[in-house]
Amino acid sequence: VHWVYPYAKLRDANVVSTINVMNLAASGSKAKYFTFVSSTSTIDTEHYFSMSDELTSEGKSGILEADDLMGAATGLGGGYGQSKWAAEYIIRQAGKRGLRGCIVRPGYVTGASKNGSSNTDDFLLRFLKGVVQLGKIPDVRNTVNMVPVDHVARVVTATAFNPPKEDQLTVAHVTGHPRMLFKDYLYTLKQYGYNVEVEDYESWKKSLEDSVIEKGEDNALYPLLHMVLDNLPENTRAPELDDRNAVESLKKDTEWTGTDASAGKGATPEQIGIYISFLNAVGFLPAPPKNGKLALPEVSLSEEQINLVSSGAGARGSSAAS
């Protein structure tokens, strides 16, 4: 994953490698199921934003997994989404020729649900630190499709061993249950005792510019200034998703795991609190200066985990968003 690289720099990693593995799946005397971890970045176009708004206004859940993806054949602005779209297109052509399996589309992949363990270079975690440093939250009201990494892994595994339809190639969306507004996700900091307040986006943008550019103050959002100052409300839009195929595979998976995870996981104040506690434990985020309405939960981390993150592991490179 890279937010800035053009398609040409991501083609080998995300497209050519997919073809190589797909050839492996088709080789030999026995055909194999093929599971591809894609991204909801493949549907980040105005076509799908409008479709999502129309579907939800009719009381429907969102973009269907059966959609042909042609609404993103044009209009994808980032090289990452373009590379994932190209890989999906090639896989779908193979599906018409008999390839079986599942394309899994996660959104933001966040920390482990029980102890918050995560890559601190993640976009959403950087934003938590950035607004704590600034003391201000942008009033952005898009929903955030964030799902704990362990649930994403469960969906990938479930669809690999129990595809929604065993005789064809299908798609499974990984979407948060529930989703949370972007501003509410950040405002959770207030509930746990941090001194942060919401202000309109234009004012927040000016505050961040003055802090980082004029005053030279440190801020975790500095590497992402091009994204957050350009048009954050537009850059964080995400279509609502129907996920019936993912639910079907998770229900089938219950027979083997003994756990029904089909209800899914998403963003709640309690889950965000676990992430904040993790960030406190590894020194990425300072402890809240006062008691809030909610008490931060205790998380269990090994000394090795703490040392790894504290020494810089995960502090560089790409976001954890898939």
Side-chain angles (χ1 to χ4, degrees):
V1 182
H2 200 285
W3 292 107
V4 180
Y5 282 172
Y7 174 83
K9 285 188 72 85
L10 294 168
R11 179 177 177 270
D12 284 353
N14 289 344
V15 183
V16 176
S17 66
T18 300
I19 296 170
N20 292 337
V21 178
M22 188 168 59
N23 285 335
L24 178 64
S27 66
S29 59
K30 182 180 179 181
K32 276 75 71 176
Y33 284 121
F34 183 76
T35 303
F36 177 68
V37 183
S38 185
S39 168
T40 54
S41 294
T42 58
I43 49 177
D44 283 345
T45 64
E46 190 58 45
H47 172 88
Y48 287 113
F49 296 148
S50 299
M51 181 186 290
S52 172
D53 291 343
E54 182 178 342
L55 289 169
T56 52
S57 69
E58 297 171 354
K60 298 175 182 176
S61 52
I63 306 299
L64 293 174
E65 292 153 313
D67 183 88
D68 63 8
L69 202 61
M70 294 312 295
T74 59
L76 282 174
Y80 176 69
Q82 292 169 354
S83 68
K84 285 295 191 179
W85 187 94
E88 278 203 37
Y89 180 85
I90 294 167
I91 294 167
R92 284 167 176 268
Q93 298 308 305
K96 294 176 181 178
R97 293 164 172 78
L99 183 69
R100 298 175 299 163
C102 191
I103 295 170
V104 183
R105 288 194 198 128
Y108 286 110
V109 183
T110 55
S113 59
K114 291 185 179 180
N115 67 8
S117 184
S118 180
N119 171 8
T120 55
D121 195 38
D122 173 72
F123 168 74
L124 293 176
L125 298 189
R126 274 190 174 275
F127 233 105
L128 286 178
K129 183 172 183 175
V131 300
V132 166
Q133 291 171 314
L134 190 65
K136 297 175 181 179
I137 292 169
D139 189 3
V140 176
R141 307 194 177 200
N142 299 326
T143 61
V144 184
N145 183 19
M146 52 191 296
V147 181
V149 64
D150 44 300
H151 186 71
V152 175
R154 184 180 287 272
V155 175
V156 172
T157 305
T159 54
F161 284 99
N162 301 284
K165 296 181 181 179
E166 296 185 359
D167 61 343
Q168 58 185 275
L169 182 74
T170 52
V171 172
H173 284 149
V174 186
T175 188
H177 295 286
R179 284 197 187 187
M180 183 181 282
L181 294 182
F182 190 68
K183 74 174 185 68
D184 291 341
Y185 157 68
L186 297 170
Y187 196 73
T188 306
L189 289 161
K190 178 82 169 181
Q191 295 178 276
Y192 285 106
Y194 289 91
N195 295 319
V196 291
E197 298 295 340
V198 178
E199 64 180 20
D200 68 87
Y201 173 63
E202 290 302 321
S203 298
W204 178 85
K205 187 168 70 168
K206 184 67 167 59
S207 298
L208 183 62
E209 284 179 319
D210 289 345
S211 172
V212 176
I213 299 174
E214 299 298 326
K215 299 177 183 177
E217 295 174 343
D218 185 38
N219 194 283
L221 292 174
Y222 181 77
L224 302 172
L225 281 183
H226 67 284
M227 178 181 180
V228 301
L229 296 180
D230 180 28
N231 191 344
L232 187 65
E234 184 67 24
N235 292 336
T236 53
R237 291 175 73 188
E240 300 294 326
L241 306 173
D242 185 278
D243 64 344
R244 65 189 69 186
N245 281 347
V247 169
E248 175 69 19
S249 286
L250 288 168
K251 284 187 174 297
K252 290 179 182 179
D253 200 48
T254 305
E255 179 182 344
W256 302 94
T257 64
T259 302
D260 186 353
S262 61
K265 288 190 177 183
T268 63
E270 294 73 23
Q271 185 64 65
I272 307 306
I274 291 173
Y275 298 150
I276 294 172
S277 291
F278 165 78
L279 297 177
N280 288 170
V282 299
F284 183 75
L285 197 64
K290 59 186 179 183
N291 293 328
K293 293 181 180 179
L294 301 175
L296 282 172
E298 292 187 11
V299 296
S300 178
L301 295 171
S302 69
E303 187 175 342
E304 181 183 13
Q305 286 176 297
I306 294 173
N307 290 339
L308 273 173
V309 178
S310 299
S311 66
R316 304 176 72 86
S318 63
S319 166
S322 178

